[in-house]
Amino acid sequence: MDIVIENVAKEYRPAGFSALKDVSLNIRPGEWVFLVGASGMGKTTLLKLLYKEEIPDRGRVLVGGEDVAKISGSRLRRGMGIVFQSFRLLPRKTAHENIAYGAEVLGVAPSEVRRRTLEILELVGLKDKGSRLPSELSGGEQQRIAVGRSLINQPKLLIADEPTGDLDPANSEIVLKIFENVHRERNTTILFATHAVEIVDRMQKRVVRLEHGRVVRDEIGGYWAMEGTGT
Amino acid sequence: MRSWALFYRLRDAREGIARNVWASVATVILITLTLLMFGSFLWLNANIGRIALLLERQVQVRVFPEEGVAAQSLLSSLEDFPGVEGAELVSGASVYDQLTPVFGREALLRALPPDAFADSLSLRLADPGRADEVVMSLREMDGVGEVVWGQGFAQSLYQIATGLQRVGTILIAGFLFVAVLMSVTAMHLAILNREGEIEIQRWVGVSPWGIRSQFLVEALLLGTFASVIAGAAFLYAGDRIQRVITGLVPFAADQLQSPTLVIGIVLVMGPVLGLLGGGLATQRTIGAGAQ
């Protein structure tokens, strides 16, 4: 799924804080893009514009060729998976049920839901823990379930907002492996906002750096910081 | 794919009710009580209406012509008289005939000659509430000797009945409002308890109507439970209450309406109230929040 962002600006009123100023980006289908930058620089706002949680004040956002302003948020989100820093699992549902829920609410037949859920539990390496409640899982395992839930409707675009932010390096690595597998096997477009220097540096993907609401660096095969500058 | 949505909605509604079992029970009880009060008043109101109609029929005006004037000659003018719906000639002979079976022919002949009763005209009024006014005008009409009517008692009862009917309608409207309010509160609580689910549904692309449908199904179930309980209570208590009313107004026993219609209305009203409450609660929260 391709993404086109043209001269987008977003201001939070009434404080008048400009989260994004004249941002333009072009992301090809199947591309993996890291969004980096310090907190408050506009990463989350940019992602929210993609799943229509926010509306730009100026400019245009196209996802899969469709103008986000012209289609409903629900229709737009059906083609994407979203993962956050906090796991946001349903505490009364098991790991299996948490993953399945995302497909059930869209009316997918039970046999198909079961097939997809088992496949995803295997993908996230928790096939033997499907019957456990979130409270019986570690933080890393919970995030793997959250990633699994975002994959249940076979999205073409995966939006991840600091998915490893609450995880230790070992669990971060496991979660990243899941993203790598999905990207490789399903050619899913991935937008990954992160502060994790080591992840960005190791993956050598496209890196877009935001500072004060502007794109200050857009580099393919880049590092978290520009060599010699520290930014 | 969509056919499965209802299956999942019903399952989620059942889980939601079980999760907030005490709030759900309280809601069902309150809606049931409201439906019982609503149904009772509806029934009473319908019966008061019927009694009022009965009394209305009792308000008959009898016109006796002046001496020397034939009753038949007044018939057409009285039929066209303002406030009169219809007029009928009642011959003196027919009155005599009506009394014959009661007293026996011989006894009646000893007491009264066959021409003891004059011919008269029986009038039906278009609006029994204005009987007083019409009677006063009739008394001033040429050829009219005497005008007799069930002044006082029937009219007072009629006014009381129509007054009660008005109060009943206002109370029914009040009870319905309370029931909807209860349903809104219950669904609002359910929404607060399931913010997590709502959030996930929004992320995966469920439309605002799709999200609302879960709560509408739940509200429909609660309303249905309440109406089934209230309907069963009416079925059980209907005969007993009817006997009590018959004891209070024996003359109207034949006019009392059976509670079957009220049971039907209560069975429909429960789910409708539930849906209305669910619709209002979700409109305020989910409807406004989801894009």
Side-chain angles (χ1 to χ4, degrees):
Chain A
M1 187 178 273
D2 63 322
I3 297 167
V4 178
I5 298 168
E6 291 175 349
N7 310 109
V8 161
K10 175 70 189 172
E11 189 176 293
Y12 286 107
R13 298 183 186 89
F17 167 69
S18 286
L20 294 172
K21 299 166 192 164
D22 200 30
V23 170
S24 293
L25 274 176
N26 213 324
I27 298 166
R28 292 187 310 277
E31 197 171 11
W32 180 315
V33 178
F34 281 115
L35 277 179
V36 302
S39 295
M41 293 295 151
K43 302 189 297 294
T44 298
T45 301
L46 187 63
L47 295 181
K48 281 182 174 178
L49 293 178
L50 297 179
Y51 57 88
K52 211 178 178 182
E53 186 69 22
E54 298 285 355
I55 311 283
D57 296 326
R58 220 176 49 242
R60 201 160 72 121
V61 178
L62 301 172
V63 175
E66 294 210 72
D67 190 338
V68 167
K70 290 179 183 163
I71 61 169
S72 70
S74 49
R75 200 181 125 196
L76 175 75
R77 288 173 200 142
R78 260 170 245 165
M80 55 177 73
I82 309 169
V83 187
F84 298 94
Q85 182 172 348
S86 57
F87 320 130
R88 305 190 199 187
L89 298 178
L90 301 173
R92 289 183 182 84
K93 288 190 185 289
T94 64
H96 186 288
E97 288 165 346
N98 261 286
I99 293 172
Y101 188 69
E104 288 173 352
V105 292
L106 286 177
V108 179
S111 56
E112 175 64 10
V113 172
R114 187 175 160 73
R115 188 193 65 75
R116 287 190 205 173
T117 307
L118 290 174
E119 189 184 303
I120 285 171
L121 276 169
E122 185 152 6
L123 178 76
V124 300
L126 292 170
K127 201 176 176 182
D128 56 336
K129 294 187 177 176
S131 59
R132 295 205 185 168
L133 291 170
S135 57
E136 297 165 336
L137 298 170
S138 71
E141 288 169 335
Q142 287 184 50
Q143 186 60 307
R144 282 147 71 185
I145 295 298
V147 173
R149 181 180 60 199
S150 74
L151 298 170
I152 187 72
N153 293 316
Q154 298 154 332
K156 290 188 168 62
L157 168 65
L158 201 50
I159 293 173
D161 192 359
E162 310 266 8
T164 58
D166 282 350
L167 304 180
D168 58 48
N171 275 308
S172 296
E173 200 55 43
I174 295 170
V175 167
L176 196 68
K177 271 269 178 267
I178 298 168
F179 276 88
E180 274 188 276
N181 287 340
V182 171
H183 183 244
R184 190 177 53 247
E185 288 167 18
R186 302 184 182 182
N187 197 33
T188 308
T189 309
I190 296 177
L191 252 84
F192 197 113
T194 185
H195 283 119
V197 180
E198 61 288 354
I199 287 176
V200 178
D201 289 351
R202 186 176 68 73
M203 293 292 291
Q204 292 283 292
K205 301 286 185 187
R206 181 176 169 188
V207 178
V208 173
R209 187 177 189 85
L210 285 168
E211 272 182 22
H212 304 294
R214 291 184 194 280
V215 175
V216 294
R217 184 159 63 94
D218 185 352
E219 190 181 5
I220 293 172
Y223 291 89
W224 199 86
M226 200 183 289
E227 276 185 85
T229 64
T231 59
Chain B
M1 255 176 28
R2 282 183 180 275
S3 59
W4 289 105
L6 182 64
F7 165 76
Y8 293 126
R9 293 299 183 220
L10 283 169
R11 184 201 63 183
D12 289 346
R14 183 178 55 79
E15 284 176 7
I17 290 169
R19 192 192 297 178
N20 302 307
V21 67
W22 292 114
S24 302
V25 167
T27 305
V28 169
I29 289 172
L30 281 163
I31 295 179
T32 303
L33 287 175
T34 307
L35 285 174
L36 284 173
M37 288 188 284
F38 165 73
S40 302
F41 252 94
L42 198 66
W43 193 24
L44 195 63
N45 217 23
N47 283 320
I48 283 174
R50 281 177 166 238
I51 292 165
L53 276 172
L54 179 73
L55 293 172
E56 191 176 315
R57 284 202 293 272
Q58 307 279 311
V59 181
Q60 275 189 350
V61 175
R62 187 65 68 88
V63 174
F64 291 91
E66 271 179 342
E67 215 172 310
V69 176
Q72 180 70 46
S73 67
L74 291 175
L75 185 62
S76 60
S77 351
L78 285 174
E79 276 174 341
D80 297 336
F81 198 85
V84 173
E85 196 176 67
E88 191 189 349
L89 181 71
V90 181
S91 70
S94 70
V95 176
Y96 201 91
D97 288 345
Q98 280 172 16
L99 292 173
T100 305
V102 181
F103 299 104
R105 187 150 186 88
E106 281 184 28
L108 196 62
L109 277 170
R110 274 201 300 274
L112 297 166
D115 60 350
F117 298 105
D119 291 348
S120 63
L121 291 136
S122 175
L123 308 185
R124 283 190 320 279
L125 301 186
D127 180 6
R130 293 178 56 230
D132 216 357
E133 202 180 303
V134 176
V135 167
M136 273 173 67
S137 307
L138 282 169
R139 280 179 179 146
E140 287 165 13
M141 187 179 158
D142 287 342
V144 170
E146 200 182 347
V147 182
V148 178
W149 67 297
Q151 189 174 3
F153 177 71
Q155 198 180 31
S156 302
L157 276 181
Y158 176 77
Q159 282 169 352
I160 290 168
T162 47
L164 276 174
Q165 205 168 15
R166 282 192 198 112
V167 172
T169 307
I170 293 166
L171 284 172
I172 283 171
F175 287 139
L176 287 178
F177 178 73
V178 171
V180 171
L181 208 64
M182 272 314 303
S183 183
V184 169
T185 309
M187 282 307 106
H188 203 67
L189 195 67
I191 290 166
L192 288 176
N193 276 317
R194 261 168 286 165
E195 280 178 335
E197 279 98 326
I198 292 170
E199 202 171 30
I200 291 164
Q201 289 184 46
R202 292 188 62 211
W203 295 340
V204 299
V206 180
S207 68
W209 262 109
I211 299 172
R212 289 177 76 183
S213 68
Q214 180 188 335
F215 299 98
L216 292 178
V217 168
E218 195 168 319
L220 186 74
L221 285 180
L222 292 179
T224 305
F225 290 153
S227 66
V228 166
I229 296 169
F234 270 113
L235 199 64
Y236 176 76
D239 281 345
R240 288 164 178 79
I241 296 170
Q242 199 157 7
R243 277 201 291 274
V244 171
I245 295 175
T246 305
L248 290 171
V249 275
F251 67 91
D254 292 344
Q255 296 296 320
L256 284 178
Q257 190 176 330
S258 95
T260 316
L261 180 65
V262 171
I263 292 170
I265 292 173
V266 161
L267 284 175
V268 173
M269 282 306 291
V272 169
L273 287 177
L275 273 180
L276 198 59
L280 288 171
T282 53
Q283 173 62 33
R284 229 175 33 180
T285 47
I286 300 163
Q291 290 165 352

